[in-house]
């Protein structure tokens, strides 16, 4: 990847609208997120309590990732903790990862994940994530980067929606 053309930096409040535009493009192209949030800017900001980053490519916001503590419904931290005889509070959840369709093929997803993992480890936390099983491109990326699938589970998201989710650990 041409590093002069891209960089990962902390997300600012000024980036949120550009991130929402990219997220809308990803949603139309890939169906992520599965359920479009009522307040997409808040959805992005809420998923970055430990950090949020954007990738710029040629001066345009091209991707996003967030890092949070484990929350109710996050399966990967629980599975990782059970496997390692520790607490899920020692995990950090990588989430809200997306790259604009026009910016793919430049290693941006790997750069964003790398930045979130670096921050988790800096805080003494272990990075984990959940991904919808139908998102085969994302699962392939995590596996190329050496992440380990902990389990594949059915998760009830609402009274009428059950989703198959892969849980990964770095």
């Amino acid at each position: 990847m041409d590093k002069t053309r891209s960089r990962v930096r902390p997300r600012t409040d000024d980036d949120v609208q550009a991130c929402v535009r990219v997220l809308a493009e990803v949603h139309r192209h890939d169906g992520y997120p599965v359920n479009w949030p009522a307040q997409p800017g808040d959805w992005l900001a809420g998923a970055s309590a430990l950090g949020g980053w954007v990738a710029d490519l040629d001066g345009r916001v091209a991707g996003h990732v967030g890092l949070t503590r484990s929350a109710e419904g996050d399966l990967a931290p629980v599975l990782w903790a059970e496997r390692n005889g520790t607490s899920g509070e020692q995990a950090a959840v990588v989430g809200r990862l997306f790259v604009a369709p026009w910016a793919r093929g430049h290693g941006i997803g790997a750069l964003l994940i790398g930045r979130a993992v670096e921050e988790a480890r800096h805080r003494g936390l272990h990075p984990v994530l959940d991904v919808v099983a139908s998102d085969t491109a994302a699962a392939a990326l995590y596996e190329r980067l050496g992440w380990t699938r902990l389990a594949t589970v059915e998760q009830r998201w609402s009274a009428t929606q059950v989703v198959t989710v892969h849980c990964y650990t770095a």
Side-chain angles (χ1 to χ4, degrees):
M1 175 164 79
D2 180 0
K3 298 224 184 239
T4 62
R5 294 183 55 209
S6 67
R7 68 184 177 124
V8 173
R9 61 176 174 76
R11 189 196 65 230
T12 67
D13 290 343
D14 292 340
D15 293 319
V16 173
Q17 285 310 310
C19 288
V20 169
R21 284 191 297 274
V22 172
L23 182 63
E25 188 179 346
V26 169
H27 182 70
R28 284 189 302 274
H29 190 268
D30 303 319
Y32 176 83
V34 172
N35 299 320
W36 184 254
Q39 300 292 324
D42 293 345
W43 183 79
L44 290 172
S48 55
L50 298 177
W53 299 271
V54 295
D56 289 331
L57 180 63
D58 294 332
R60 295 171 61 191
V61 170
H64 177 275
V65 70
L67 187 69
T68 62
R69 293 276 187 181
S70 177
E72 186 177 341
D74 289 329
L75 300 174
V78 172
L79 294 170
W80 173 79
E82 288 173 355
R83 185 171 286 190
N84 290 284
T86 187
S87 162
E89 292 177 10
Q90 293 181 332
V93 179
V94 177
R96 309 302 197 256
L97 172 68
F98 56 89
V99 175
W102 58 265
R104 293 178 184 165
H106 294 276
I108 290 171
L111 283 175
L112 287 164
I113 291 169
R115 182 61 189 92
V117 167
E118 177 185 321
E119 181 66 21
R121 294 189 197 266
H122 173 75
R123 292 172 177 266
L125 301 171
H126 187 86
V128 298
L129 60 85
D130 297 335
V131 62
V132 176
S134 60
D135 193 345
T136 57
L141 172 63
Y142 305 137
E143 291 174 13
R144 270 196 319 275
L145 294 175
W147 287 62
T148 302
R149 188 183 304 179
L150 295 166
T152 299
V153 297
E154 298 290 312
Q155 193 175 35
R156 179 166 293 285
W157 286 7
S158 73
T160 59
Q161 187 179 34
V162 175
V163 179
T164 303
V165 175
H166 297 312
C167 302
Y168 283 92
T169 179

